[in-house]
Amino acid sequence: MADLHLHLVSDATGETITSMARACLVQFESVHPVQHNWSLVRTQGQIERVIAGIQENPGLVLFTLVDRTVRLKLEDACRRRSIPCISVLDPVMAALSAFLGTTVNALPGRQYQLDAEYFRRIDAMQFTLAHDDGQLIELLEEADVVLVGVSRTSKTPTSMYIANRGLKCANYPLVPGVPIPHELEHAVNPLVVGLTKDPKSLSDIRRARLRLLNQTEEADYAQYERVKEEVQSARRLFTRLGWPVVDVTRKSIEEASATIIQLHDQRLDRLRESAQ
């Protein structure tokens, strides 16, 4: 595989440009990316260190810099060395500026300002941490979303990802032979979503988990037939209570979360329509 030095330069955390680069790089299987992440680059001294790093390992430069002086210094250095240098936000910013008929406010890191949306996300994450794995079940009505599923169906990481999008998300583990609590079965305010996974895949994941804990892989917890019955029993419960189901077998945490957030938004739209 060919090595590709990729310099990602940002005046904020670098999250935006890193995600964009990742989304593009997965389309090139024959390339091995060597990423150089440069975050919080806002001064002349900082951009000079970036340029020195680019000169040491020449490669494609992608940047999200809004300060004109800083970005011009980077672009000029790359131009003199014949190194491609691309501002990934420029096309979108230009289109928005033209459509809205207004100029761009060049303020680094503005998307991370401490506004109401930021504090809503923090509240959601605190709520989700406190309501992980069936905790504080008596306060379930305060949740926006509740995820229910058998062990190892990615309830906790999915909950945290959803919380980072600003929704209060609790989760509850289904345990064989243990009935679900009244608060969950009769929840009204939150959207309750059942998570399921292919029994064979789930059995393999549980075996790996047992190995990690230095426990025998032959425990009932990981036996295929036992796992299959757990999954089927969970599906029957989801059907009986009319909960939507998301199969996470071949979904990443991000993809599963996007599906759940979409279900939540659709439910809100229906509730608003019925209230009119």
Side-chain angles (χ1 to χ4, degrees):
M1 299 177 66
D3 283 346
L4 168 67
H5 286 281
L6 185 63
H7 294 270
L8 307 178
V9 189
S10 171
D11 53 23
T13 64
E15 180 180 350
T16 299
I17 197 165
T18 300
S19 298
M20 185 177 297
R22 185 185 303 116
C24 296
L25 287 170
V26 295
Q27 305 299 328
F28 299 89
E29 297 180 356
S30 61
V31 173
H32 174 253
V34 180
Q35 287 188 200
H36 304 269
N37 298 304
W38 308 90
S39 59
L40 299 174
V41 178
R42 300 178 180 179
T43 68
Q44 293 290 317
Q46 290 167 335
I47 200 64
E48 286 173 2
R49 285 193 291 273
V50 173
I51 292 170
I54 295 171
Q55 187 171 0
E56 184 177 348
N57 294 289
L60 182 64
V61 177
L62 304 178
F63 70 87
T64 53
L65 300 172
V66 295
D67 184 276
R68 180 173 175 79
T69 303
V70 173
R71 65 173 288 171
L72 284 177
K73 189 175 185 68
L74 174 64
E75 289 173 327
D76 181 61
C78 290
R79 187 182 305 110
R80 284 188 280 106
R81 295 168 175 81
S82 299
I83 294 174
C85 184
I86 302 168
S87 172
V88 299
L89 295 182
D90 273 7
V92 179
M93 299 283 276
L96 284 170
S97 179
F99 185 78
L100 296 172
T102 186
T103 57
V104 177
N105 293 320
L107 299 176
R110 192 169 186 180
Q111 67 269 41
Y112 300 109
Q113 63 185 354
L114 303 185
D115 56 8
E117 174 65 20
Y118 174 85
F119 289 108
R120 186 168 73 94
R121 287 169 51 211
I122 296 300
D123 287 343
M125 286 188 280
Q126 290 176 338
F127 178 92
T128 298
L129 284 170
H131 291 77
D132 183 41
D133 209 26
Q135 299 181 79
L136 299 178
I137 197 72
E138 66 276 9
L139 301 177
L140 207 61
E141 284 297 315
E142 298 179 13
D144 297 306
V145 177
V146 181
L147 305 183
V148 182
V150 301
S151 176
R152 314 314 296 176
T153 47
S154 303
K155 297 182 296 298
T156 295
T158 305
S159 295
M160 290 307 302
Y161 190 93
I162 291 172
N164 193 45
R165 298 289 297 274
L167 296 178
K168 295 179 179 178
C169 186
N171 70 80
Y172 184 85
L174 295 178
V175 180
V178 178
I180 64 172
H182 178 275
E183 293 89 345
L184 176 58
E185 183 168 354
H186 298 280
V188 175
N189 178 64
L191 168 70
V192 183
V193 178
L195 300 185
T196 190
K197 187 184 284 280
D198 172 70
K200 178 63 169 63
S201 173
L202 188 55
S203 176
D204 291 341
I205 290 172
R206 289 186 178 183
R207 288 180 186 276
R209 175 67 173 171
L210 290 174
R211 285 198 300 271
L212 189 64
L213 297 174
N214 293 319
Q215 298 181 17
T216 175
E217 297 176 32
E218 303 307 315
D220 289 344
Y221 172 75
Q223 289 299 306
Y224 172 74
E225 290 301 327
R226 168 72 177 274
V227 173
K228 181 179 178 182
E229 173 53 34
E230 277 190 58
V231 172
Q232 291 175 340
S233 177
R235 291 298 293 258
R236 289 192 293 268
L237 173 69
F238 302 156
T239 300
R240 177 172 68 83
L241 297 176
W243 294 340
V245 178
V246 174
D247 189 335
V248 300
T249 306
R250 295 177 179 82
K251 283 185 171 68
S252 65
I253 299 300
E254 294 84 354
E255 290 171 325
S257 299
T259 301
I260 294 164
I261 292 170
Q262 187 177 59
L263 289 170
H264 172 267
D265 292 346
Q266 290 171 350
R267 179 172 183 261
L268 279 186
D269 290 340
R270 291 193 298 269
L271 291 174
R272 292 193 190 101
E273 289 174 2
S274 63
Q276 292 176 351

